[in-house]
Amino acid sequence: MKKWRVDFNESLHPEPWRDFYARYFPELDRMDIKEDGFTVQSLKCLYHDDRKPSATVNVKSGFYVCHVCGSFSPYRFLVEIAGIAPEDASYFINDYLRELYVKDERTGSYLRAFPHYDPSHTYIPTPGQEEEFEEFIKEAKARLRPELPIVQEYITARGIKYEMLERFEWGYVPHDEEAGQVECLVVPFRVRGKIRAIRGRAYDGRKGAVKNSRFSLWNLDSLEGKSQAVIVEGESDALRTIQALEACGVDIPVVSVPGNNFRKEWKREFEGIRTIYLIPQDDDASANFVRSALAVLGEERCKVVELPWKRGDVGKDICEWLTRNNHTDQELVELIPLEEHQDRFSRYYRVEELLKREPAEPDWLVRGMIARGQKILVQGPPKQMKTWFVLSLLKALSRGENVCGVPFWKTTVSGIKAVMVEEEHSTNALIQRVQQSLAGTSNIVIPHRTGVKLLPKNPEFEDLLKFIDEFRPDLLVLDPLRSFFDGDENDSSVMQQVFAPLNMLLRKYPHMAVVVVDHTAKKPSDVLVYASRGSSVKGAEMDGVIDIRKFQKDEDVGVVVTGEFRDAETVENLSLKFEDGNLVYDDGFRINIKLKDSEVRLQKLAKLLTQRSYTQKELTDLLKVSDQTVRNDISKLRAGGFTIEEEGGHQGSPKTYTLTKTPDGWKADDEDSGE
């Protein structure tokens, strides 16, 4: 502490605090000033009944001194003498100093009265300097107290918790007239754990530094091992942004530049970081910060986040946008289009690791049905109440209820955000269904007949991507799938292109799930009622398939639901009753689908053949029947309108069955034929 001190530039204004106090003591304009800045003529104190003047002000340093009350900084004067609220006092002082300029008679330009100290960028440490910097900060940290006026002024004006100062090693240096030390707060700049610079902040807002400081990015070491980061201007904005992110449960590092220029040498610190968010202040100097950062880091991975200032808003930085304009931490965090990145090799598993790892429980949105990061297919013939089922799902997720009241389909969260892209029904039908099904819900958005196609360069799909990026839904619903692409759904290359953007979305937003609604056979009586149309790519892409089939029991209407899932138990023949626009579980309402063994076998055979070609031996083994029974069932399918081709059957060439066409005209996938 003896060797090092925090240096500050002197104020360019000879009497910077005269106008500040003149509003309370108009007689200051007539008073003489001593060389040390104190007024010659005494003032009557505003705090006590001062019959005889007993107070003076120092128009150079800003201190108010009463021989009865004591010595006060400008902030303490406003709070304790003038009786102004702490936050208002901080705002007033900041605004006063920011607008205080001095005219340069030589150039005619105006200079800020309290210039920042700009230390040399040349870092030549003296012997033992790092140890002495550590000792300096250690002593300064020990002096820091929440009740110190300079601390109260700083945290009050910026909405920063005192705990943040302690956590990031802020300290306090008292005024020392003899050593020429200005009272200030100090903060260390660490690089690889070692202090390379110490910045000071005086009560009047001036920024200084300890000699031989080499400033880098503040909080630089937090970037280690991260895939994205936030860059702001100044340590105050960094502290406030960290505080907001953590309050919203977001783990992302925040660093700040010590000035308004991003140096080229800092590029190396962002190796491996894919996305960088720049949050500039709202002033002219910030344009240089953004311009230099984009030039050094590259525009392709930088996203500039402009604070949405409105007419009448006060301030220019993040702290002021939050505290002076009544914005919340959540509002700030939602402005940052955070991306969910995974390490490029995160799915390269070593067997040794897998042998030790316990299977993780899926991050369920609906337990036993759909988890974050999954794709679920809801399918059935046309007009079988698939959309009603999806609306019941949305209602349950929004309200935190069991889906359709089913005991084992419990939602794990409430108030989720959802986007349902609806392309099939008329607008009137959509209005009627929403009014019947989604009463008491929120945060559900329905793009209706927008023309979205899940293919490259579709403007409507690009609009949807932008909306998803801003809205951040937990669930995306596409109803029906056939409306979202052009081309042959039996062509595996077409279907791979369809699912590629959905997989991209889930990689980018692993917290989201996708539900796809699709049609199967046109008639509920068709043997392929539960067989998904088109390429087997669709079935392979899904984490779960829910089959919906409509039935009527007496005067009641309902559906039977069958579900197969990768991470949950199979659901068979679950009966749901349709009441007032909702499908609901009623233990007394049951519809039993009774099929003969031959019908079950025939349906299974048809479903198998929609997946790929099979040899006769494979089918006899899978169905556990004789060769003759397989031939008989093939004949029944042909009689029902299925086109099935045969190959082989002679010595050395097994008989192979290939389904090429279904009764409703849809061609079967032949991508795996010839196995």
Side-chain angles (χ1 to χ4, degrees):
M1 288 291 288
K2 292 182 179 179
K3 183 175 182 180
W4 305 105
R5 73 175 186 181
V6 186
D7 296 321
F8 293 90
N9 285 338
E10 295 295 328
S11 172
L12 300 180
H13 198 298
E15 299 176 353
W17 296 98
R18 183 191 281 266
D19 290 341
F20 177 87
Y21 284 104
R23 65 173 54 211
Y24 298 100
F25 306 103
E27 58 270 30
L28 274 177
D29 291 334
R30 304 187 302 271
M31 289 184 176
D32 295 327
I33 306 298
K34 295 180 181 180
E35 289 186 4
D36 61 2
F38 275 102
T39 54
V40 173
Q41 188 175 341
S42 296
L43 307 169
K44 288 186 177 181
C45 181
L46 302 179
Y47 187 73
H48 69 279
D49 188 11
D50 198 356
R51 297 182 180 180
K52 183 179 180 181
S54 60
T56 58
V57 295
N58 188 317
V59 296
K60 286 187 177 181
S61 69
F63 270 81
Y64 172 87
V65 179
C66 174
H67 298 298
V68 176
C69 302
S71 179
F72 299 81
S73 68
Y75 171 74
R76 287 190 62 204
F77 170 81
L78 291 179
V79 174
E80 300 179 35
I81 302 298
I84 295 177
E87 59 272 16
D88 293 334
S90 297
Y91 300 153
F92 178 79
I93 292 173
N94 287 338
D95 291 342
Y96 176 81
L97 295 173
R98 181 181 298 151
E99 302 302 325
L100 192 62
Y101 288 87
V102 177
K103 186 175 182 179
D104 187 338
E105 298 299 336
R106 184 176 59 85
T107 63
S109 61
Y110 284 86
L111 305 175
R112 184 163 291 180
F114 288 87
H116 292 168
Y117 181 79
D118 186 18
S120 170
H121 292 317
T122 303
Y123 182 64
I124 307 176
T126 61
Q129 177 175 311
E130 290 178 351
E131 291 77 9
E132 291 172 356
F133 271 14
E134 291 284 356
E135 187 64 25
F136 184 101
I137 289 297
K138 180 179 179 181
E139 294 184 20
K141 285 164 55 180
R143 290 193 180 95
L144 192 71
R145 294 287 185 274
E147 65 272 10
L148 289 171
I150 191 173
V151 172
Q152 282 298 308
E153 187 277 330
Y154 180 78
I155 63 177
T156 301
R158 294 156 187 82
I160 296 172
K161 297 178 181 179
Y162 175 74
E163 293 76 17
M164 297 293 287
L165 301 188
E166 290 185 313
R167 173 177 158 190
F168 288 96
E169 302 185 284
W170 285 55
Y172 170 69
V173 176
H175 173 75
D176 188 337
E177 187 74 35
E178 189 174 314
Q181 177 63 66
V182 175
E183 180 187 25
C184 63
L185 298 174
V186 291
V187 56
F189 282 62
R190 290 188 180 273
V191 179
R192 309 294 181 264
K194 296 182 179 180
I195 300 178
R196 297 295 175 84
I198 298 176
R199 165 167 278 179
R201 185 182 186 91
Y203 67 87
D204 54 27
R206 282 181 293 167
K207 294 180 181 178
V210 171
K211 186 179 179 181
N212 281 1
S213 288
R214 168 60 171 168
F215 284 94
S216 184
L217 298 168
W218 180 79
N219 201 29
L220 179 63
D221 291 352
S222 67
L223 297 177
E224 188 68 31
K226 300 298 183 179
S227 61
Q228 52 187 335
V230 175
I231 305 178
V232 300
E233 297 182 74
E235 304 84 69
S236 299
D237 274 1
L239 283 175
R240 191 64 185 85
T241 305
I242 293 170
Q243 187 173 298
L245 288 167
E246 291 182 348
C248 296
V250 178
D251 179 20
I252 180 172
V254 181
V255 300
S256 67
V257 292
N260 56 30
N261 185 53
F262 196 93
R263 299 208 294 269
K264 186 176 180 179
E265 67 189 74
W266 295 337
K267 180 180 180 179
R268 68 192 70 154
E269 307 296 347
F270 291 84
E271 289 295 329
I273 294 183
R274 302 180 187 179
T275 308
I276 302 164
Y277 309 97
L278 310 176
I279 310 182
Q281 297 181 359
D282 192 30
D283 59 14
D284 294 334
S286 295
N288 185 60
F289 157 60
V290 173
R291 184 169 51 251
S292 60
L294 291 177
V296 172
L297 298 171
E299 295 185 12
E300 68 280 355
R301 60 171 174 166
C302 289
K303 296 184 179 182
V304 180
V305 180
E306 298 280 358
L307 297 178
W309 297 94
K310 299 178 182 178
R311 179 183 295 177
D313 283 353
V314 180
K316 66 167 187 174
D317 58 28
I318 295 173
C319 294
E320 291 172 322
W321 185 79
L322 286 166
T323 59
R324 304 188 68 173
N325 301 287
N326 297 319
H327 293 296
T328 64
D329 291 342
Q330 186 68 36
E331 288 178 87
L332 175 62
V333 173
E334 288 181 352
L335 291 175
I336 308 173
L338 298 172
E339 297 180 358
E340 297 288 347
H341 287 306
Q342 290 184 331
D343 182 80
R344 59 187 298 190
F345 298 120
S346 63
R347 295 184 182 273
Y348 285 53
Y349 300 115
R350 292 183 180 275
V351 171
E352 299 91 331
E353 297 173 356
L354 294 179
L355 291 172
K356 298 176 183 178
R357 182 186 296 185
E358 291 291 332
E361 179 76 6
D363 188 3
W364 296 110
L365 284 175
V366 178
R367 195 171 302 280
M369 179 197 290
I370 181 169
R372 298 181 190 273
Q374 289 189 345
K375 299 187 296 293
I376 300 296
L377 178 67
V378 176
Q379 66 176 12
K383 302 185 182 304
Q384 295 297 296
M385 309 187 77
K386 299 183 295 297
T387 301
W388 289 109
F389 178 80
V390 171
L391 291 173
S392 296
L393 169 66
L394 293 176
K395 179 180 179 180
L397 285 168
S398 178
R399 297 169 56 168
E401 302 171 346
N402 286 21
V403 177
C404 302
V406 178
F408 48 81
W409 276 345
K410 184 177 182 181
T411 57
T412 61
V413 293
S414 63
I416 61 102
K417 294 181 179 180
V419 174
M420 178 179 175
V421 189
E422 211 285 331
E423 293 289 320
E424 185 173 37
H425 300 96
S426 68
T427 303
N428 285 335
L430 176 66
I431 292 172
Q432 292 172 357
R433 293 185 178 213
V434 167
Q435 290 179 350
Q436 283 184 278
S437 300
L438 298 182
T441 64
S442 60
N443 289 326
I444 299 174
V445 179
I446 305 179
H448 178 55
R449 291 195 170 184
T450 57
V452 172
K453 299 292 183 183
L454 298 176
L455 293 173
K457 298 181 180 179
N458 175 254
E460 289 75 17
F461 181 57
E462 292 179 359
D463 290 341
L464 177 63
L465 293 180
K466 291 177 182 178
F467 182 76
I468 290 174
D469 197 49
E470 295 175 2
F471 188 59
R472 299 302 178 90
D474 301 275
L475 180 65
L476 172 65
V477 179
L478 303 177
D479 182 13
L481 177 63
R482 193 65 187 89
S483 299
F484 293 94
F485 66 95
D486 298 318
D488 186 358
E489 68 178 332
N490 303 288
D491 187 330
S492 61
S493 62
V494 171
M495 298 309 294
Q496 286 168 353
Q497 290 182 3
V498 169
F499 283 99
L502 293 181
N503 292 330
M504 177 273 294
L505 273 174
L506 290 179
R507 285 194 298 270
K508 187 175 182 180
Y509 306 115
H511 70 282
M512 188 172 71
V514 174
V515 168
V516 175
V517 181
D518 193 30
H519 298 317
T520 56
K522 292 182 178 180
K523 298 179 181 178
S525 59
D526 287 346
V527 73
L528 274 180
V529 65
Y530 288 146
S532 189
R533 297 191 312 202
S535 168
S536 61
V537 170
K538 180 165 50 179
E541 286 282 347
M542 294 300 167
D543 298 287
V545 178
I546 297 175
D547 297 300
I548 306 289
R549 191 171 181 181
K550 180 181 176 182
F551 281 95
Q552 185 162 350
K553 180 180 180 181
D554 300 327
E555 296 182 357
D556 295 323
V557 176
V559 299
V560 172
V561 179
T562 298
E564 295 182 6
F565 309 95
R566 288 181 178 171
D567 296 316
E569 296 293 329
T570 298
V571 175
E572 295 185 355
N573 297 336
L574 173 67
S575 300
L576 300 175
K577 190 176 182 180
F578 187 68
E579 293 182 344
D580 301 325
N582 292 280
L583 290 169
V584 296
Y585 176 75
D586 183 346
D587 193 46
F589 180 78
R590 295 183 181 178
I591 301 172
N592 296 317
I593 302 176
K594 295 182 179 179
L595 297 176
K596 298 178 181 178
D597 291 343
S598 60
E599 293 175 326
V600 173
R601 187 181 68 248
L602 195 65
Q603 191 176 82
K604 185 175 181 180
L605 173 61
K607 191 169 183 178
L608 286 171
L609 290 174
T610 61
Q611 298 171 357
R612 63 176 177 85
S613 298
Y614 282 88
T615 66
Q616 181 162 305
K617 185 177 186 311
E618 286 178 320
L619 293 176
T620 58
D621 291 343
L622 289 169
L623 299 174
K624 295 180 174 55
V625 293
S626 66
D627 289 349
Q628 184 59 48
T629 301
V630 169
R631 288 193 290 270
N632 292 340
D633 287 348
I634 292 291
S635 298
K636 291 178 183 178
L637 288 178
R638 285 171 173 159
F642 293 86
T643 302
I644 302 174
E645 296 180 353
E646 295 182 22
E647 291 183 4
H650 48 81
Q651 187 174 5
S653 178
K655 179 175 288 189
T656 302
Y657 296 102
T658 302
L659 174 65
T660 60
K661 204 172 189 180
T662 63
D664 58 0
W666 297 99
K667 297 178 182 178
D669 188 15
D670 62 357
E671 63 185 88
D672 292 319
S673 62
E675 176 174 324

